[in-house]
Amino acid sequence: MRLAHTRFTVTAGAIIFNQAGEILVLKHRFRAGSGWGLPGGFLERGEQPIDALRRELREELGLEIEDVEIFTARSFRKPKQVEILFRGRGSGPVTPRTMEVERAEWFSIDALPQGLPRDQRRLIEQAAKSV
């Protein structure tokens, strides 16, 4: 059965707001394009999506989030991937703790970084409307 079924990688990401309504965006060293994007990462074997997200945020930034809810899910053909996006709140400074994250910053929705993918901009705008 496994040979006949397509496999997907699964990631958990988040649109995280602070108390000022700013959004957390990371610049990853190994991400295609400008490197800017929403925080998140791959699930480990047997890991639940919310646990993967919390682990990634702790490892990469030392950040804890609250008021977390599933915002949306989407799938991609290339790469074969399912992404589960959460929305939540975080606070405090964000300092990269791993070599894969070059920068971590809070941005106003009106001043998101150049090079942030359009699909992620749209998701941020949608998430901000329903906060």
Side-chain angles (χ1 to χ4, degrees):
M1 183 159 167
R2 287 184 179 220
L3 294 174
H5 285 80
T6 305
R7 294 182 185 209
F8 288 85
T9 57
V10 181
T11 61
I15 300 169
I16 303 171
F17 295 90
N18 65 13
Q19 291 182 357
E22 297 169 317
I23 297 96
L24 178 62
V25 182
L26 307 183
K27 185 168 188 177
H28 287 84
R29 292 186 196 282
F30 308 115
R31 187 173 279 175
S34 72
W36 287 108
L38 296 171
F42 292 96
L43 274 66
E44 293 178 354
R45 186 180 189 115
E47 190 174 38
Q48 291 295 314
I50 187 62
D51 297 330
L53 176 63
R54 289 184 187 281
R55 174 184 50 75
E56 288 283 338
L57 292 171
R58 278 187 211 111
E59 288 174 1
E60 293 182 348
L61 306 169
L63 180 68
E64 298 293 334
I65 55 173
E66 54 192 38
D67 301 328
V68 183
E69 62 186 4
I70 291 178
F71 176 65
T72 193
R74 56 191 187 156
S75 63
F76 302 93
R77 291 177 192 245
K78 289 187 180 184
K80 292 181 180 176
Q81 178 180 324
V82 173
E83 178 182 57
I84 301 166
L85 280 169
F86 293 87
R87 178 176 45 198
R89 297 211 175 272
S91 62
V94 286
T95 305
R97 293 183 168 193
T98 66
M99 67 168 275
E100 59 186 286
V101 177
E102 184 178 332
R103 290 171 56 190
E105 296 182 32
W106 296 103
F107 288 91
S108 133
I109 195 164
D110 299 327
L112 294 170
Q114 291 293 324
L116 181 69
R118 279 185 296 214
D119 65 321
Q120 291 188 18
R121 282 180 187 276
R122 280 192 298 272
L123 289 167
I124 289 168
E125 290 167 1
Q126 290 170 358
K129 287 180 186 175
S130 55
V131 171

